[in-house]
Amino acid sequence: AMRGQPYALVPILVGALSDKDEAKYGRLLAPYLDDPCNLFIISSDFCHWGKRFQYTYYDTRFAQICQSIEALDRQGMQLIENQDADGFHKYQKEFKNTICGRHPIAVLLHALPAARTKHRVTFVQYAQSSAVTRKEDSSVSYASAVVSLA
């Protein structure tokens, strides 16, 4: 029980999906976003940077690699806040950012516009496991967002 109230936990594991399936599952879950009794938790880390992750994208307009990583992550975060499923897909296709939960995030991005109630997405925290300054370094990024009624 939570605060004396019974509840049911329904885990939904989302693996690698096609764009079409992300949209389909988003539409299927949208009615549940309309019910204030439901709570969705979509969990993902963001960029895994370094040779050990086989991902070393670096935008040389930034003095430090960690700044490039943050800019890349924030570009994706902005698309999520804008609830732009197509833009997020194009971003992933272009940059191949190693966001482990990109598919569950995309399902959410398709569910939000299909829901009757309007929501807003706001990122509230961002961090990196280490500030990468050398190509030999590695880092994992973490970002937290809240989806609330608009």
Side-chain angles (χ1 to χ4, degrees), residues 3-136:
R3 296 185 182 167
Q5 299 296 315
Y7 69 93
L9 179 65
V10 181
I12 301 172
L13 179 63
V14 178
L17 297 174
S18 68
D19 303 342
K20 183 179 173 183
D21 284 339
E22 290 169 351
K24 177 175 80 173
Y25 289 116
R27 287 188 305 273
L28 284 170
L29 292 171
Y32 299 97
L33 283 175
D34 290 321
D35 184 344
C37 292
N38 292 325
L39 170 68
F40 282 74
I41 300 172
I42 292 92
S43 178
S44 178
D45 39 30
F46 268 63
C47 186
H48 291 63
W49 195 95
K51 289 179 184 170
R52 68 185 178 128
F53 300 118
Q54 299 174 353
Y55 189 76
T56 55
Y57 172 83
Y58 176 37
D59 183 342
T60 56
R61 291 179 297 167
F62 296 92
Q64 301 269 341
I65 297 170
C66 59
Q67 295 168 326
S68 170
I69 296 168
E70 182 169 351
L72 177 67
D73 283 336
R74 290 201 182 273
Q75 186 177 347
M77 292 161 64
Q78 186 64 57
L79 292 164
I80 295 166
E81 283 188 337
N82 292 345
Q83 302 178 35
D84 184 353
D86 291 336
F88 187 70
H89 172 73
K90 289 174 186 164
Y91 160 84
Q92 279 300 117
K93 196 169 189 152
E94 180 178 352
F95 296 105
K96 296 176 179 34
N97 193 351
T98 50
I99 299 171
C100 293
R102 62 191 170 275
H103 296 291
I105 290 168
V107 169
L108 173 68
L109 292 177
H110 286 284
L112 289 167
R116 286 188 321 254
T117 51
K118 295 301 160 206
H119 298 82
R120 82 176 142 268
V121 180
T122 308
F123 276 88
V124 294
Q125 187 74 329
Y126 177 82
Q128 295 175 355
S129 62
S130 65
V132 174
T133 57
R134 303 174 307 133
K135 291 184 179 183
E136 297 76 34

